[in-house]
Tab-separated table of all heavy atoms in Angstrom:
chain	number	residue	atom	x	y	z
B	216	GLN	N	2.091	22.130	1.180
B	216	GLN	CA	3.208	22.766	0.465
B	216	GLN	C	2.718	23.462	-0.808
B	216	GLN	O	3.208	24.527	-1.169
B	216	GLN	CB	4.261	21.726	0.101
B	216	GLN	CG	5.241	21.443	1.240
B	216	GLN	CD	6.180	20.298	0.898
B	216	GLN	OE1	6.534	20.090	-0.263
B	216	GLN	NE2	6.558	19.536	1.907
B	217	VAL	N	1.766	22.821	-1.472
B	217	VAL	CA	1.216	23.421	-2.699
B	217	VAL	C	0.510	24.744	-2.351
B	217	VAL	O	0.644	25.743	-3.063
B	217	VAL	CB	0.232	22.450	-3.398
B	217	VAL	CG1	-0.500	23.131	-4.540
B	217	VAL	CG2	0.991	21.240	-3.918
B	218	TYR	N	-0.222	24.752	-1.246
B	218	TYR	CA	-0.877	25.990	-0.800
B	218	TYR	C	0.152	27.098	-0.549
B	218	TYR	O	-0.066	28.261	-0.897
B	218	TYR	CB	-1.670	25.730	0.488
B	218	TYR	CG	-3.077	25.213	0.261
B	218	TYR	CD1	-3.571	24.988	-1.014
B	218	TYR	CD2	-3.927	24.960	1.333
B	218	TYR	CE1	-4.857	24.521	-1.215
B	218	TYR	CE2	-5.221	24.495	1.142
B	218	TYR	CZ	-5.681	24.274	-0.131
B	218	TYR	OH	-6.969	23.822	-0.327
B	219	SER	N	1.273	26.716	0.072
B	219	SER	CA	2.320	27.701	0.350
B	219	SER	C	2.817	28.316	-0.951
B	219	SER	O	2.960	29.538	-1.067
B	219	SER	CB	3.491	27.044	1.082
B	219	SER	OG	3.038	26.354	2.213
B	220	LYS	N	3.056	27.453	-1.944
B	220	LYS	CA	3.543	27.946	-3.238
B	220	LYS	C	2.522	28.868	-3.896
B	220	LYS	O	2.866	29.910	-4.449
B	220	LYS	CB	3.802	26.757	-4.180
B	220	LYS	CG	5.164	26.154	-3.988
B	220	LYS	CD	5.405	25.086	-5.053
B	220	LYS	CE	6.497	24.150	-4.552
B	220	LYS	NZ	6.423	22.826	-5.152
B	221	LEU	N	1.261	28.472	-3.809
B	221	LEU	CA	0.197	29.252	-4.441
B	221	LEU	C	0.120	30.657	-3.845
B	221	LEU	O	0.080	31.657	-4.573
B	221	LEU	CB	-1.135	28.516	-4.250
B	221	LEU	CG	-2.417	29.229	-4.678
B	221	LEU	CD1	-2.399	29.502	-6.171
B	221	LEU	CD2	-3.647	28.402	-4.330
B	222	LEU	N	0.130	30.735	-2.510
B	222	LEU	CA	0.017	32.046	-1.866
B	222	LEU	C	1.253	32.897	-2.137
B	222	LEU	O	1.154	34.105	-2.345
B	222	LEU	CB	-0.218	31.882	-0.361
B	222	LEU	CG	-1.577	31.257	-0.009
B	222	LEU	CD1	-1.704	31.035	1.492
B	222	LEU	CD2	-2.736	32.127	-0.505
B	223	SER	N	2.425	32.249	-2.178
B	223	SER	CA	3.642	33.006	-2.469
B	223	SER	C	3.618	33.549	-3.884
B	223	SER	O	4.125	34.634	-4.150
B	223	SER	CB	4.876	32.121	-2.271
B	223	SER	OG	4.967	31.732	-0.927
B	224	SER	N	3.019	32.782	-4.812
B	224	SER	CA	2.994	33.236	-6.203
B	224	SER	C	2.122	34.476	-6.377
B	224	SER	O	2.186	35.149	-7.396
B	224	SER	CB	2.517	32.110	-7.125
B	224	SER	OG	1.108	32.023	-7.106
B	225	LEU	N	1.276	34.769	-5.376
B	225	LEU	CA	0.450	35.979	-5.436
B	225	LEU	C	1.139	37.149	-4.738
B	225	LEU	O	0.588	38.241	-4.643
B	225	LEU	CB	-0.918	35.724	-4.797
B	225	LEU	CG	-1.845	34.811	-5.592
B	225	LEU	CD1	-3.076	34.452	-4.776
B	225	LEU	CD2	-2.258	35.471	-6.905
B	226	ASP	N	2.330	36.860	-4.231
B	226	ASP	CA	3.126	37.914	-3.609
B	226	ASP	C	2.386	38.538	-2.412
B	226	ASP	O	2.287	39.759	-2.290
B	226	ASP	CB	3.442	38.977	-4.676
B	226	ASP	CG	4.701	39.750	-4.335
B	226	ASP	OD1	5.456	39.286	-3.469
B	226	ASP	OD2	4.901	40.829	-4.922
B	227	LEU	N	1.845	37.643	-1.572
B	227	LEU	CA	1.102	38.109	-0.402
B	227	LEU	C	1.894	37.780	0.861
B	227	LEU	O	2.686	36.845	0.891
B	227	LEU	CB	-0.255	37.398	-0.312
B	227	LEU	CG	-1.244	37.649	-1.433
B	227	LEU	CD1	-2.412	36.675	-1.337
B	227	LEU	CD2	-1.748	39.092	-1.380
B	228	GLN	N	1.631	38.538	1.916
B	228	GLN	CA	2.187	38.213	3.235
B	228	GLN	C	1.239	37.213	3.874
B	228	GLN	O	0.078	37.553	4.147
B	228	GLN	CB	2.202	39.486	4.069
B	228	GLN	CG	3.560	39.896	4.564
B	228	GLN	CD	3.406	40.831	5.750
B	228	GLN	OE1	2.684	41.838	5.637
B	228	GLN	NE2	4.035	40.511	6.851
B	229	TRP	N	1.697	35.990	4.066
B	229	TRP	CA	0.793	34.965	4.587
B	229	TRP	C	1.467	34.124	5.661
B	229	TRP	O	2.682	34.134	5.804
B	229	TRP	CB	0.309	34.067	3.453
B	229	TRP	CG	1.406	33.312	2.775
B	229	TRP	CD1	2.160	33.741	1.727
B	229	TRP	CD2	1.906	32.017	3.122
B	229	TRP	NE1	3.088	32.802	1.387
B	229	TRP	CE2	2.959	31.718	2.226
B	229	TRP	CE3	1.563	31.070	4.087
B	229	TRP	CZ2	3.678	30.528	2.277
B	229	TRP	CZ3	2.277	29.878	4.140
B	229	TRP	CH2	3.318	29.616	3.237
Side-chain angles (χ1 to χ4, degrees):
Chain B
Q216 276 174 32
V217 171
Y218 274 1
S219 307
K220 275 186 201 155
L221 173 62
L222 293 176
S223 297
S224 81
L225 289 171
D226 205 15
L227 296 169
Q228 239 200 307
W229 62 272

